Amino acid sequence: MSQSPQLLEPRLLAAKSGSWRPKPKISNASLRWGLNAAVLVYLVLLYFSVDINWSRVAQGMDRGLAFMGSFLTPDFISRGGEIAIGLRESLTMTFAATVIGILLAIPVGLGAARNIAPTPVYFFCRAIIALSRTFQEIIIAILFVAMFGFGPLAGVVTLAFATIGFMAKLLAEDIEDAQRDPMEAVRATGASWLQWINYAVQPQVMPRLIGLSLYRLDINFRESAVIGIVGAGGIGATLNTSINRYDYDTSAAVLLVIIGIVLMSEYLSGYVRKWTA
Amino acid sequence: MLKLKGLTKRYATGDLALNNIDLEVPSGQVLALIGPSGAGKSTLIRCVNRLVEPTSGTIELDSKDISNARGGRLRQARRQIGMIFQNYALVERLSVMENVLSGRLAYVGFWRSYFRKFPESDIKQAFELLERVGLETMLDKRGDALSGGQKQRVGIARALMQNPKLLLVDEPTASLDPKTSRQIMRLICELCQEQNLATIINIHDVALAQQFVHRVVGLRAGEIVYDGAPDGLSPEILTTIYGEEDWSVDKRDDEEETSKPKEQDVEAALLGGHP
Amino acid sequence: MPIKIVNDTPIWQRREPLQQRLIWFGYFLALMLFLLCWKIISDNTIWEFLSDAHIQAASLIGRMIPPDWSITGSLLLPLWDTLNIATVGTALGVLIAFPLAFLAARNTSPHPSLRAFALAIIVSSRSINALIWAILLVTIVGPGLLAGMIAIALRSIGFVGKLLYEAIEEIHPTPVEAVSSTGAGRMQVLAYSVLPQIMPAFAGITVYRWDINIRESTVLGLVGAGGIGLQMNAAINNLAWGQVATVFVLIFATVIFSEWVSAKVRHAVI
């Protein structure tokens, strides 16, 4: 209806005589050509600026094949002790950091929900979230290792810090989406602030909070394998050492352990979510 | 044109949806398939083009057995069978023209269809069909921008784009208002006449069917219980198809409705609850 | 609602006593587990180092402010590399994830064994962080951009593959039935009935992953896989915290920019 007959007519006539092409997805012609040109320019720049040492790549192919082959012959035994210690450290870091992170994320999340927090508190909590979310865990780990020294404590603090940003943001969004009526009704009974949170907000956000906590537990485990690289403890250190020694059979074993645990936690969280829903 | 012999379908759940159906539909005949929900109407027409795999029996199209066709031969057979759906089944994010042209997919190769390079004759035919169903000005509209009746018209054009010999129509009017329903039924029946198609229409609305079709087949619990002219549907026959009901048109069943709540009240009172 | 009679007075309780005890027991177990974890961590920590942590932190921050802007110019090329790692890596990952998603989705998978295979690839890729792939790839193809691109691609396969196959499983089945009934071939059915339905989700997922990949590729240089992380690593090793701060500011700006682009594009396709 919005199209004027003059614009429509040529296409109709063409179709009648047997020629028809679908309309372009972007109707504005200059925007369309502009985007195409931009992509082309980018590709050209990419071609000239990316410098890859192909002979080095060719040299590495044997090693690549060796690595892939080692997935068929993973070696859990010869460095079994190191794997076990690394795994134990990763798991303890993961659990401790998730608990601490969630406990701290709850007040931050409450403060970052626009509908229940006063404005200054809101901005303060949002700033914490932005800071925690912008930087990769590994960067934060470097800073905390510099402060606390090598070891799992830096790892726990890193993961807890990252957990705060993740959980608080999602919790705040959840609270902002909560139904208003029950919140007003409980407030109208003369309940105190804590009672109000407990009776009107908590029941609405609890199931999702549990689901997200399990998800974050999973993420924290995966991240714990990374932050070991910069000295923050866990299975990442074991993995890093084995790769640097070109001991791919052990690396494959560690990777398979990580994949197995992630898979297990995915199944578990599926069950728990069904159970709490 | 179409010949079903001993067609039987038993679902994995053990339900017998079709029991030994024999049916023959000549070219140019519009046949209405009526029956209660769950009688097997949908299963029957989906068995014909093998969207549902029959358990036993044969399907002959143009005296060729297609009941065991696979791959290319099955697609060849499906190409000759147009189908129209209750929920229109348009691809909503494609334009009207693309939806209609998708009826030609079995005639063009993958890459031609992927780049929308259909032969000139196909585009001409698509445009003529759109003119026939009155939607030629809408050819660039997206499927989700149309009303229910318009979507069904596009669905009809898509089915006819296949140049089918047989048309399967599944509850074409179930989601439409009475006036649009009549228009759609008239359109389908006219087009079938023009192109001399054998047609099977699943339909709930017996009165609407009687008005437009040549032949009615009544299905109950997977078996044919009536096969004859539309005006042969007496109240007794409708009872065998659908079960006990007052089939006279002018009598209202107000009495029944008012008496029901009263019974419940009495029951509630006897149980000691409040009325 | 369980109601208990104590001295002829009904007392309302929120839960059945047994259920309540189980919940308390669950909390107790979690607390014990947490304390155990804490003990293990504490045993592996040299607490003496912590006594001066606040001094360390203060001096760290003190040396970061003001950032050393003089190196900004030399950071622009590494930043461009980072952008390329993320973009090419995303493109490669999406290219592989796209067919994989069709193999993994219940309604389009040609065979259950292929489905299991595709799901195994997706979960393996998802479990392992891009940085770990990067460490591996640096030993295989040598340090540089290529290792970073492949690392990003390998991590993206699982993410894009999972979200995409979930989107494929959620499509309306009737258009698929309709296009099949025209006698169209298998690929034509996918192209005409499945593809149009998943296209918006696909575009959204791709841009979302690109946004994440920008963040991830900023740190790949730490292990030698190219990009601005190389400069960050060098600055950290030299304890030049002023330069580190400059890198942080640039990363922050890039992340904000990529978030803005991704929000714009997602808004446009939906």
Side-chain angles (χ1 to χ4, degrees):
Chain A
M1 317 296 146
S2 55
Q3 278 165 314
S4 60
Q6 294 94 312
L7 273 173
L8 202 59
E9 213 57 59
R11 273 184 76 79
L12 276 188
L13 287 173
K16 197 177 178 107
S17 61
S19 83
W20 165 89
R21 299 290 308 143
K23 278 199 153 178
K25 295 273 179 289
I26 303 168
S27 49
N28 182 342
S30 50
L31 180 64
R32 185 166 73 243
W33 288 113
L35 280 177
N36 285 347
V39 170
L40 200 71
V41 168
Y42 177 73
L43 287 179
V44 170
L45 283 177
L46 190 67
Y47 181 79
F48 285 108
S49 65
V50 172
D51 176 29
I52 291 168
N53 184 351
W54 290 108
S55 62
R56 172 66 184 84
V57 174
Q59 272 173 24
M61 281 302 109
D62 296 342
R63 232 177 243 162
L65 288 176
F67 170 68
M68 278 193 249
S70 60
F71 264 101
L72 301 175
T73 57
D75 178 5
F76 293 93
I77 312 296
S78 52
R79 306 246 167 227
E82 283 170 48
I83 296 178
I85 291 171
L87 189 63
R88 194 185 66 171
E89 204 165 75
S90 263
L91 287 173
T92 50
M93 272 161 53
T94 304
F95 186 73
T98 310
V99 171
I100 298 172
I102 290 169
L103 289 181
L104 292 175
I106 290 171
V108 178
L110 288 172
R114 200 191 291 268
N115 53 346
I116 60 172
T119 311
V121 177
Y122 170 79
F123 280 112
F124 178 69
C125 291
R126 282 283 165 180
I128 295 179
I129 291 175
L131 200 66
S132 144
R133 281 171 50 81
T134 304
F135 293 105
Q136 289 286 308
E137 278 84 347
I138 191 111
I139 297 182
I140 301 168
I142 291 172
L143 294 182
F144 281 126
V145 168
M147 285 182 211
F148 296 155
F150 291 109
L153 184 70
V156 171
V157 178
T158 303
L159 292 178
F161 184 68
T163 305
I164 293 174
F166 178 88
M167 293 294 292
K169 176 165 188 278
L170 294 172
L171 180 64
E173 279 169 6
D174 224 25
I175 295 173
E176 284 170 359
D177 289 341
Q179 289 173 8
R180 292 182 58 86
D181 295 350
M183 288 163 67
E184 275 175 5
V186 173
R187 171 145 280 185
T189 63
S192 73
W193 191 81
L194 270 177
Q195 286 171 324
W196 180 53
I197 295 295
N198 183 218
Y199 273 76
V201 179
Q202 193 191 338
Q204 294 198 55
V205 298
M206 209 52 192
R208 208 167 113 82
L209 189 65
I210 291 172
L212 286 174
S213 306
L214 289 168
Y215 182 44
R216 188 64 216 188
L217 198 64
D218 182 1
I219 299 179
N220 277 348
F221 176 71
R222 284 185 249 169
E223 291 296 336
S224 79
V226 173
I227 54 178
I229 296 167
V230 293
I235 201 165
T238 318
L239 182 63
N240 197 18
T241 322
S242 73
I243 295 174
N244 288 337
R245 285 182 189 144
Y246 303 114
D247 179 6
Y248 289 142
D249 290 349
T250 302
S251 320
V254 174
L255 292 181
L256 287 175
V257 166
I258 295 173
I259 293 171
I261 288 179
V262 170
L263 203 61
M264 220 161 62
S265 87
E266 229 159 72
Y267 273 113
L268 263 179
S269 73
Y271 276 116
V272 174
R273 253 175 268 185
K274 249 182 243 160
W275 186 59
T276 51
Chain B
M1 184 69 241
L2 176 73
K3 204 183 209 173
L4 306 177
K5 266 189 277 180
L7 194 69
T8 302
K9 172 68 190 175
R10 189 184 284 279
Y11 282 106
T13 52
D15 299 328
L16 187 65
L18 294 176
N19 189 7
N20 207 17
I21 299 282
D22 291 312
L23 187 68
E24 214 169 315
V25 192
S27 290
Q29 185 178 70
V30 180
L31 180 153
L33 203 57
I34 62 171
S37 304
K41 304 190 299 284
S42 249
T43 308
L44 179 77
I45 66 166
R46 279 175 168 74
C47 276
V48 172
N49 65 0
R50 302 264 308 280
L51 287 177
V52 170
E53 223 36 74
T55 313
S56 65
T58 58
I59 306 148
E60 269 180 37
L61 185 70
D62 227 1
S63 20
K64 257 182 254 155
D65 185 4
I66 59 163
S67 33
N68 293 312
R70 311 207 141 269
R73 272 193 60 225
L74 176 61
R75 293 203 292 274
Q76 194 73 24
R78 278 181 177 166
R79 185 166 100 165
Q80 300 174 45
I81 307 172
M83 188 157 176
I84 295 168
F85 293 81
Q86 171 182 352
N87 300 314
Y88 328 121
L90 296 191
V91 185
E92 305 232 310
R93 295 183 56 87
L94 294 183
S95 68
V96 166
M97 194 65 172
E98 284 169 305
N99 269 295
V100 175
L101 282 170
S102 69
R104 294 303 288 180
L105 285 177
Y107 294 85
V108 299
F110 173 74
W111 291 111
R112 281 195 86 156
S113 67
Y114 186 80
F115 291 110
R116 312 297 196 255
K117 292 211 183 295
F118 287 88
E120 212 167 271
S121 57
D122 286 0
I123 291 166
K124 268 187 195 159
Q125 190 193 352
F127 190 79
E128 275 159 22
L129 276 169
L130 280 175
E131 270 184 326
R132 181 65 183 81
V133 300
L135 288 176
E136 73 279 9
T137 53
M138 304 266 191
L139 86 173
D140 285 324
K141 280 255 154 61
R142 251 168 59 158
D144 49 10
L146 304 180
S147 70
Q150 290 171 331
K151 282 181 189 174
Q152 194 56 290
R153 284 162 196 273
V154 176
I156 293 168
R158 172 176 65 190
L160 292 174
M161 262 319 271
Q162 290 172 238
N163 292 330
K165 295 176 181 164
L166 171 70
L167 199 60
L168 304 173
V169 191
D170 190 17
E171 304 282 2
T173 61
S175 318
L176 300 173
D177 67 63
K179 187 182 169 204
T180 321
S181 295
R182 287 174 58 92
Q183 291 172 339
I184 291 290
M185 273 302 276
R186 183 176 297 121
L187 183 66
I188 292 174
C189 295
E190 278 175 10
L191 286 164
C192 292
Q193 292 292 288
E194 283 168 24
Q195 311 202 1
N196 197 31
L197 304 178
T199 305
I200 302 179
I201 304 182
N202 275 352
I203 192 158
H204 264 303
D205 189 334
V206 178
L208 193 64
Q210 281 177 308
Q211 209 170 355
F212 290 102
V213 304
H214 306 130
R215 176 180 165 198
V216 172
V217 167
L219 213 55
R220 180 175 190 174
E223 293 181 41
I224 294 180
V225 291
Y226 174 81
D227 185 352
D231 41 7
L233 285 173
S234 61
E236 293 74 43
I237 288 167
L238 285 173
T239 302
T240 38
I241 300 174
Y242 286 100
E244 201 64 55
E245 174 62 58
D246 189 352
W247 297 105
S248 51
V249 184
D250 23 57
K251 206 182 154 200
R252 302 292 307 266
D253 36 12
D254 293 358
E255 283 173 76
E256 230 182 295
E257 272 174 22
T258 43
S259 68
K260 255 188 194 160
K262 268 182 205 156
E263 273 173 23
Q264 278 166 357
D265 287 353
V266 173
E267 233 170 349
L270 285 172
L271 286 168
H274 31 238
Chain C
M1 255 351 114
I3 291 171
K4 199 164 117 191
I5 313 280
V6 178
N7 303 332
D8 292 339
T9 329
I11 297 175
W12 172 78
Q13 289 169 314
R14 192 160 162 221
R15 295 188 178 95
E16 296 286 351
L18 180 68
Q19 196 191 1
Q20 186 64 63
R21 266 173 224 155
L22 274 177
I23 289 173
W24 285 124
F25 185 64
Y27 276 120
F28 177 73
L29 270 188
L31 182 68
M32 286 296 115
L33 188 59
F34 176 73
L35 289 177
L36 178 71
C37 290
W38 189 252
K39 178 166 184 320
I40 294 173
I41 293 161
S42 163
D43 288 348
N44 287 300
T45 305
I46 303 163
W47 289 100
E48 288 74 47
F49 281 3
L50 247 75
S51 56
D52 65 341
H54 60 281
I55 304 167
Q56 292 284 345
S59 85
L60 201 65
I61 294 168
R63 279 183 285 170
M64 277 188 172
I65 297 170
D68 179 2
W69 297 115
S70 63
I71 61 159
T72 312
S74 65
L75 287 177
L76 290 180
L77 198 64
L79 199 62
W80 166 249
D81 282 344
T82 298
L83 200 73
N84 289 338
I85 291 174
T87 310
V88 176
T90 310
L92 278 177
V94 165
L95 226 56
I96 299 168
F98 188 79
L100 212 56
F102 281 87
L103 295 184
R106 204 171 275 119
N107 49 347
T108 54
S109 184
H111 196 271
S113 62
L114 273 174
R115 174 161 198 264
F117 171 73
L119 287 176
I121 293 184
I122 287 174
V123 75
S124 310
S125 154
R126 266 162 46 72
S127 307
I128 296 168
N129 195 291
L131 211 60
I132 295 177
W133 286 123
I135 299 177
L136 265 171
L137 286 159
V138 166
T139 70
I140 294 173
V141 302
L145 288 183
L146 187 70
M149 287 171 180
I150 302 176
I152 291 287
L154 285 176
R155 174 67 184 88
S156 304
I157 291 171
F159 182 91
V160 175
K162 177 165 197 272
L163 292 179
L164 195 60
Y165 91 72
E166 284 171 353
I168 295 174
E169 284 181 351
E170 277 167 20
I171 59 167
H172 292 294
T174 43
V176 181
E177 213 181 19
V179 176
S180 311
S181 78
T182 67
R186 196 188 177 87
M187 292 298 284
Q188 286 176 320
V189 174
L190 293 182
Y192 268 74
S193 63
V194 180
L195 202 57
Q197 293 194 59
I198 60 163
M199 229 37 213
F202 176 60
I205 295 165
T206 303
V207 179
Y208 182 36
R209 185 65 221 184
W210 177 76
D211 180 14
I212 299 175
N213 281 345
I214 293 267
R215 289 160 203 251
E216 299 221 322
S217 54
T218 55
V219 295
L220 291 182
L222 289 176
V223 296
I228 197 166
L230 282 173
Q231 269 64 27
M232 178 163 60
N233 199 25
I236 290 170
N237 289 340
N238 296 334
L239 300 176
W241 292 103
Q243 296 183 4
V244 176
T246 317
V247 175
F248 281 0
V249 170
L250 275 182
I251 290 178
F252 191 75
T254 316
V255 167
I256 300 274
F257 166 74
S258 76
E259 225 167 52
W260 177 79
V261 171
S262 119
K264 275 270 168 204
V265 173
R266 267 184 287 171
H267 188 75
V269 291
I270 290 165

